Amino acid sequence: MRITTTGLLGAALLAALRITATDVAAEVNGQWRTDLDTATRTDDSTVAVAKGDSDGPVVASVNGGADMQARGIISAGTGNPVVCGSVAAQTTCWDSLRFVPIAPIVSKFGLSLA
């Protein structure tokens, strides 16, 4: 499944990403997590995430169209630093990101998905 994110300092970033690892254990902002997934860009002309995108949405289209569905929340950039391109402020960008999948979020807050 291809997933996308929105972010890059408020700009619309719809980078095509591929999930490359699930149930990753890593430290994010001083907190140890064991429920992260990792996604990596599929196109070298884009970035996966920029500094400041944490807590932004990770979404996916079921049929490749505009029917976006929530897949998780961005936790951190990871992998290799990459050139950000044209952005409003100088920042750091990465070719991969770690995110909390939607299932632990739904479970923690007692939510359901329609």
Side-chain angles (χ1 to χ4, degrees):
M1 172 183 304
R2 288 187 140 196
I3 62 171
T4 62
T5 62
T6 59
L8 199 55
L9 303 174
L13 169 67
L14 295 175
L17 306 171
R18 181 175 48 89
I19 297 173
T20 54
T22 59
D23 299 321
V24 174
E27 184 180 345
V28 177
N29 298 325
Q31 181 180 17
W32 191 255
R33 301 200 58 117
T34 58
D35 59 353
L36 300 170
D37 286 357
T38 301
T40 302
R41 67 185 182 168
T42 59
D43 178 351
D44 287 347
S45 69
T46 64
V47 300
V49 68
K51 185 174 183 179
D53 287 346
S54 296
D55 300 326
V58 177
V59 296
S61 171
V62 174
N63 66 12
D67 62 329
M68 299 305 229
Q69 296 180 352
R71 294 296 177 190
I73 303 289
I74 298 170
S75 292
T78 190
N80 299 308
V82 295
V83 174
C84 294
S86 179
V87 293
Q90 188 173 357
T91 190
T92 304
C93 295
W94 291 271
D95 67 351
S96 300
L97 64 90
R98 290 209 171 101
F99 69 98
V100 179
I102 198 70
I105 297 166
V106 169
S107 176
K108 178 175 179 143
F109 294 102
L111 304 172
S112 63
L113 298 175

